Amino acid sequence: MHRFPSMVWLFVNVLLYSGGIICYRIMDASEETCNLGKLMIHSSIFLFLGVVGLSFFSYVRCLNALAFSPLLRHIHQATRFIHQSWIPPRMLYITDGGVQDCTAITQLLRRRCERILLVLAASDPDDDLAVL
């Protein structure tokens, strides 16, 4: 239920864009339908860019729902957005680092985190930390 507002936004955006394409390309070639199609496509693009821009301010109470959108989270990851605030974010992205770094400590060092808590649950019977 927490993703409902962002899904409504995405649904409206897809409807606007699809309707614009239908009016602009598929329907009869009158000037009125072409202008309506252009308006719908431009509205869809501006709505998308506006919501993406507002998603970077999801710490504001009325924009909290934008933090739960998977699409917006991917955009935040692509732009390397890092949440810095006294108030924790509503959604955390947790990773294990993958094949190269099984602890993800490299990414945390690249982000220059002040505090890093590393919980290592690897099989290391001799405590030589060879898995690192």
Side-chain angles (χ1 to χ4, degrees), residues 38-74:
K38 284 182 184 179
L39 178 68
M40 290 174 76
I41 291 171
H42 290 154
S43 299
S44 171
I45 291 170
F46 288 133
L47 177 66
F48 180 79
L49 293 176
V51 171
V52 167
L54 288 175
S55 72
F56 289 99
F57 302 99
S58 63
Y59 57 85
V60 178
R61 182 175 220 100
C62 62
L63 301 174
N64 275 342
L66 297 177
F68 296 109
S69 170
L71 174 66
L72 295 174
R73 284 199 318 264
H74 284 294

Short mmCIF file of all heavy atoms in Angstrom, two decimals, residues 38-74:
data_model
loop_
_atom_site.label_atom_id
_atom_site.label_comp_id
_atom_site.label_asym_id
_atom_site.label_seq_id
_atom_site.Cartn_x
_atom_site.Cartn_y
_atom_site.Cartn_z
N LYS A 38 0.62 16.73 -28.83
CA LYS A 38 1.84 17.40 -28.36
C LYS A 38 1.70 17.86 -26.91
O LYS A 38 2.63 17.70 -26.12
CB LYS A 38 2.16 18.60 -29.24
CG LYS A 38 2.75 18.27 -30.57
CD LYS A 38 3.06 19.56 -31.32
CE LYS A 38 3.57 19.29 -32.69
NZ LYS A 38 3.84 20.53 -33.44
N LEU A 39 0.54 18.42 -26.59
CA LEU A 39 0.31 18.88 -25.22
C LEU A 39 0.36 17.73 -24.23
O LEU A 39 0.96 17.84 -23.15
CB LEU A 39 -1.04 19.61 -25.14
CG LEU A 39 -1.44 20.11 -23.75
CD1 LEU A 39 -0.52 21.22 -23.31
CD2 LEU A 39 -2.88 20.56 -23.74
N MET A 40 -0.24 16.60 -24.60
CA MET A 40 -0.23 15.44 -23.70
C MET A 40 1.17 14.88 -23.53
O MET A 40 1.57 14.52 -22.42
CB MET A 40 -1.19 14.38 -24.23
CG MET A 40 -2.65 14.77 -24.12
SD MET A 40 -3.75 13.59 -24.89
CE MET A 40 -3.74 12.28 -23.68
N ILE A 41 1.94 14.81 -24.60
CA ILE A 41 3.31 14.31 -24.51
C ILE A 41 4.17 15.25 -23.68
O ILE A 41 4.92 14.81 -22.80
CB ILE A 41 3.91 14.09 -25.92
CG1 ILE A 41 3.20 12.94 -26.61
CG2 ILE A 41 5.40 13.84 -25.84
CD1 ILE A 41 3.57 12.77 -28.07
N HIS A 42 4.06 16.54 -23.91
CA HIS A 42 4.83 17.51 -23.12
C HIS A 42 4.42 17.48 -21.65
O HIS A 42 5.29 17.57 -20.77
CB HIS A 42 4.67 18.91 -23.70
CG HIS A 42 5.36 19.09 -25.01
ND1 HIS A 42 4.96 20.01 -25.94
CD2 HIS A 42 6.43 18.47 -25.56
CE1 HIS A 42 5.73 19.96 -27.00
NE2 HIS A 42 6.64 19.02 -26.79
N SER A 43 3.14 17.33 -21.39
CA SER A 43 2.67 17.23 -20.00
C SER A 43 3.24 16.00 -19.33
O SER A 43 3.65 16.05 -18.16
CB SER A 43 1.15 17.19 -19.95
OG SER A 43 0.59 18.34 -20.49
N SER A 44 3.28 14.90 -20.04
CA SER A 44 3.84 13.67 -19.50
C SER A 44 5.32 13.83 -19.17
O SER A 44 5.79 13.40 -18.11
CB SER A 44 3.64 12.52 -20.49
OG SER A 44 4.34 11.39 -20.09
N ILE A 45 6.07 14.44 -20.07
CA ILE A 45 7.50 14.64 -19.84
C ILE A 45 7.73 15.57 -18.66
O ILE A 45 8.57 15.30 -17.79
CB ILE A 45 8.17 15.17 -21.13
CG1 ILE A 45 8.17 14.08 -22.20
CG2 ILE A 45 9.59 15.66 -20.85
CD1 ILE A 45 8.58 14.56 -23.57
N PHE A 46 6.99 16.67 -18.59
CA PHE A 46 7.16 17.61 -17.47
C PHE A 46 6.74 16.98 -16.15
O PHE A 46 7.36 17.21 -15.11
CB PHE A 46 6.41 18.91 -17.72
CG PHE A 46 7.04 19.77 -18.77
CD1 PHE A 46 6.28 20.33 -19.78
CD2 PHE A 46 8.41 20.03 -18.75
CE1 PHE A 46 6.87 21.13 -20.75
CE2 PHE A 46 9.00 20.81 -19.72
CZ PHE A 46 8.23 21.37 -20.72
N LEU A 47 5.68 16.17 -16.17
CA LEU A 47 5.26 15.48 -14.95
C LEU A 47 6.34 14.51 -14.49
O LEU A 47 6.67 14.44 -13.31
CB LEU A 47 3.94 14.72 -15.21
CG LEU A 47 3.41 13.88 -14.05
CD1 LEU A 47 3.00 14.76 -12.89
CD2 LEU A 47 2.25 13.03 -14.50
N PHE A 48 6.91 13.76 -15.43
CA PHE A 48 7.97 12.81 -15.09
C PHE A 48 9.18 13.54 -14.50
O PHE A 48 9.69 13.16 -13.44
CB PHE A 48 8.38 12.01 -16.33
CG PHE A 48 9.47 11.02 -16.06
CD1 PHE A 48 9.17 9.82 -15.46
CD2 PHE A 48 10.78 11.29 -16.40
CE1 PHE A 48 10.17 8.89 -15.19
CE2 PHE A 48 11.78 10.38 -16.14
CZ PHE A 48 11.48 9.17 -15.53
N LEU A 49 9.64 14.58 -15.18
CA LEU A 49 10.80 15.32 -14.69
C LEU A 49 10.52 16.01 -13.36
O LEU A 49 11.40 16.06 -12.49
CB LEU A 49 11.26 16.33 -15.73
CG LEU A 49 11.83 15.76 -17.03
CD1 LEU A 49 12.15 16.86 -18.01
CD2 LEU A 49 13.04 14.91 -16.74
N GLY A 50 9.30 16.50 -13.19
CA GLY A 50 8.94 17.14 -11.92
C GLY A 50 8.93 16.17 -10.76
O GLY A 50 9.46 16.46 -9.68
N VAL A 51 8.37 15.00 -10.96
CA VAL A 51 8.33 14.01 -9.88
C VAL A 51 9.72 13.46 -9.60
O VAL A 51 10.08 13.25 -8.43
CB VAL A 51 7.33 12.88 -10.22
CG1 VAL A 51 7.43 11.75 -9.22
CG2 VAL A 51 5.91 13.42 -10.24
N VAL A 52 10.53 13.27 -10.63
CA VAL A 52 11.91 12.83 -10.40
C VAL A 52 12.67 13.88 -9.60
O VAL A 52 13.40 13.57 -8.66
CB VAL A 52 12.63 12.51 -11.74
CG1 VAL A 52 14.12 12.36 -11.53
CG2 VAL A 52 12.06 11.26 -12.35
N GLY A 53 12.49 15.13 -9.95
CA GLY A 53 13.13 16.20 -9.18
C GLY A 53 12.66 16.27 -7.74
O GLY A 53 13.45 16.43 -6.82
N LEU A 54 11.36 16.11 -7.54
CA LEU A 54 10.82 16.13 -6.18
C LEU A 54 11.22 14.91 -5.37
O LEU A 54 11.26 14.96 -4.14
CB LEU A 54 9.29 16.24 -6.23
CG LEU A 54 8.73 17.59 -6.64
CD1 LEU A 54 7.22 17.51 -6.77
CD2 LEU A 54 9.11 18.66 -5.64
N SER A 55 11.53 13.81 -6.04
CA SER A 55 11.89 12.59 -5.31
C SER A 55 13.19 12.76 -4.54
O SER A 55 13.43 12.03 -3.58
CB SER A 55 12.00 11.41 -6.27
OG SER A 55 13.16 11.52 -7.08
N PHE A 56 14.03 13.69 -4.92
CA PHE A 56 15.27 13.93 -4.18
C PHE A 56 14.99 14.65 -2.85
O PHE A 56 15.88 14.78 -2.03
CB PHE A 56 16.25 14.74 -5.02
CG PHE A 56 16.83 13.94 -6.16
CD1 PHE A 56 16.32 14.06 -7.44
CD2 PHE A 56 17.87 13.06 -5.94
CE1 PHE A 56 16.85 13.32 -8.48
CE2 PHE A 56 18.40 12.31 -6.97
CZ PHE A 56 17.89 12.44 -8.24
N PHE A 57 13.76 15.10 -2.67
CA PHE A 57 13.35 15.75 -1.42
C PHE A 57 12.32 14.90 -0.69
O PHE A 57 11.39 15.41 -0.07
CB PHE A 57 12.77 17.14 -1.71
CG PHE A 57 13.73 18.04 -2.42
CD1 PHE A 57 13.65 18.22 -3.79
CD2 PHE A 57 14.74 18.68 -1.72
CE1 PHE A 57 14.54 19.04 -4.45
CE2 PHE A 57 15.64 19.50 -2.37
CZ PHE A 57 15.54 19.69 -3.74
N SER A 58 12.48 13.58 -0.75
CA SER A 58 11.49 12.69 -0.14
C SER A 58 11.51 12.72 1.38
O SER A 58 10.69 12.08 2.02
CB SER A 58 11.68 11.26 -0.64
OG SER A 58 12.94 10.76 -0.24
N TYR A 59 12.44 13.45 1.97
CA TYR A 59 12.44 13.61 3.42
C TYR A 59 11.34 14.58 3.87
O TYR A 59 10.99 14.60 5.04
CB TYR A 59 13.80 14.10 3.92
CG TYR A 59 14.27 15.38 3.29
CD1 TYR A 59 13.87 16.61 3.79
CD2 TYR A 59 15.10 15.36 2.17
CE1 TYR A 59 14.30 17.78 3.21
CE2 TYR A 59 15.52 16.53 1.59
CZ TYR A 59 15.12 17.74 2.11
OH TYR A 59 15.54 18.90 1.53
N VAL A 60 10.78 15.35 2.96
CA VAL A 60 9.65 16.22 3.28
C VAL A 60 8.42 15.34 3.45
O VAL A 60 8.18 14.41 2.67
CB VAL A 60 9.43 17.26 2.16
CG1 VAL A 60 8.23 18.13 2.45
CG2 VAL A 60 10.67 18.10 1.96
N ARG A 61 7.64 15.61 4.46
CA ARG A 61 6.54 14.73 4.85
C ARG A 61 5.56 14.43 3.70
O ARG A 61 5.14 13.30 3.52
CB ARG A 61 5.79 15.33 6.04
CG ARG A 61 4.67 14.47 6.53
CD ARG A 61 4.03 15.05 7.79
NE ARG A 61 3.74 13.96 8.69
CZ ARG A 61 4.46 13.61 9.73
NH1 ARG A 61 5.53 14.27 10.02
NH2 ARG A 61 4.12 12.61 10.49
N CYS A 62 5.20 15.42 2.92
CA CYS A 62 4.21 15.19 1.85
C CYS A 62 4.81 14.44 0.66
O CYS A 62 4.07 13.98 -0.20
CB CYS A 62 3.59 16.51 1.40
SG CYS A 62 4.77 17.67 0.70
N LEU A 63 6.13 14.29 0.61
CA LEU A 63 6.77 13.58 -0.49
C LEU A 63 7.34 12.23 -0.07
O LEU A 63 8.10 11.61 -0.81
CB LEU A 63 7.91 14.44 -1.07
CG LEU A 63 7.51 15.81 -1.62
CD1 LEU A 63 8.73 16.59 -2.03
CD2 LEU A 63 6.55 15.66 -2.79
N ASN A 64 6.98 11.75 1.11
CA ASN A 64 7.50 10.49 1.64
C ASN A 64 7.23 9.30 0.72
O ASN A 64 8.04 8.39 0.62
CB ASN A 64 6.89 10.18 3.01
CG ASN A 64 7.65 10.87 4.11
OD1 ASN A 64 8.78 11.30 3.92
ND2 ASN A 64 7.03 10.98 5.26
N ALA A 65 6.09 9.29 0.07
CA ALA A 65 5.71 8.14 -0.75
C ALA A 65 6.65 7.95 -1.94
O ALA A 65 6.76 6.84 -2.45
CB ALA A 65 4.27 8.31 -1.25
N LEU A 66 7.34 8.99 -2.36
CA LEU A 66 8.24 8.86 -3.51
C LEU A 66 9.47 8.02 -3.18
O LEU A 66 10.13 7.50 -4.07
CB LEU A 66 8.68 10.25 -3.99
CG LEU A 66 7.57 11.15 -4.50
CD1 LEU A 66 8.13 12.50 -4.88
CD2 LEU A 66 6.85 10.51 -5.67
N ALA A 67 9.77 7.84 -1.90
CA ALA A 67 10.93 7.03 -1.51
C ALA A 67 10.71 5.55 -1.76
O ALA A 67 11.67 4.78 -1.78
CB ALA A 67 11.25 7.27 -0.03
N PHE A 68 9.48 5.13 -1.96
CA PHE A 68 9.17 3.71 -2.12
C PHE A 68 9.05 3.27 -3.57
O PHE A 68 8.81 2.11 -3.85
CB PHE A 68 7.87 3.36 -1.39
CG PHE A 68 7.99 3.54 0.09
CD1 PHE A 68 7.34 4.57 0.72
CD2 PHE A 68 8.75 2.68 0.84
CE1 PHE A 68 7.45 4.74 2.08
CE2 PHE A 68 8.87 2.84 2.21
CZ PHE A 68 8.21 3.88 2.83
N SER A 69 9.20 4.18 -4.51
CA SER A 69 9.08 3.83 -5.92
C SER A 69 10.36 3.16 -6.41
O SER A 69 11.45 3.74 -6.33
CB SER A 69 8.82 5.08 -6.75
OG SER A 69 8.92 4.78 -8.13
N PRO A 70 10.26 1.93 -6.95
CA PRO A 70 11.46 1.26 -7.45
C PRO A 70 12.12 2.04 -8.61
O PRO A 70 13.34 2.09 -8.70
CB PRO A 70 10.95 -0.09 -7.94
CG PRO A 70 9.66 -0.30 -7.23
CD PRO A 70 9.09 1.06 -6.99
N LEU A 71 11.32 2.64 -9.48
CA LEU A 71 11.86 3.40 -10.59
C LEU A 71 12.67 4.59 -10.09
O LEU A 71 13.79 4.84 -10.55
CB LEU A 71 10.73 3.87 -11.51
CG LEU A 71 11.13 4.80 -12.65
CD1 LEU A 71 12.02 4.05 -13.64
CD2 LEU A 71 9.91 5.37 -13.33
N LEU A 72 12.13 5.31 -9.13
CA LEU A 72 12.84 6.48 -8.60
C LEU A 72 14.08 6.07 -7.82
O LEU A 72 15.09 6.78 -7.84
CB LEU A 72 11.89 7.31 -7.73
CG LEU A 72 10.72 7.94 -8.50
CD1 LEU A 72 9.78 8.63 -7.54
CD2 LEU A 72 11.22 8.89 -9.56
N ARG A 73 14.03 4.93 -7.15
CA ARG A 73 15.23 4.45 -6.44
C ARG A 73 16.35 4.11 -7.43
O ARG A 73 17.52 4.36 -7.17
CB ARG A 73 14.89 3.24 -5.57
CG ARG A 73 14.16 3.62 -4.31
CD ARG A 73 14.22 2.54 -3.26
NE ARG A 73 14.03 1.20 -3.75
CZ ARG A 73 12.87 0.54 -3.74
NH1 ARG A 73 11.79 1.12 -3.26
NH2 ARG A 73 12.79 -0.69 -4.20
N HIS A 74 15.99 3.55 -8.59
CA HIS A 74 17.00 3.27 -9.61
C HIS A 74 17.61 4.56 -10.15
O HIS A 74 18.81 4.61 -10.42
CB HIS A 74 16.41 2.44 -10.74
CG HIS A 74 16.22 1.01 -10.41
ND1 HIS A 74 17.27 0.15 -10.16
CD2 HIS A 74 15.10 0.26 -10.24
CE1 HIS A 74 16.81 -1.05 -9.88
NE2 HIS A 74 15.49 -1.00 -9.92
#
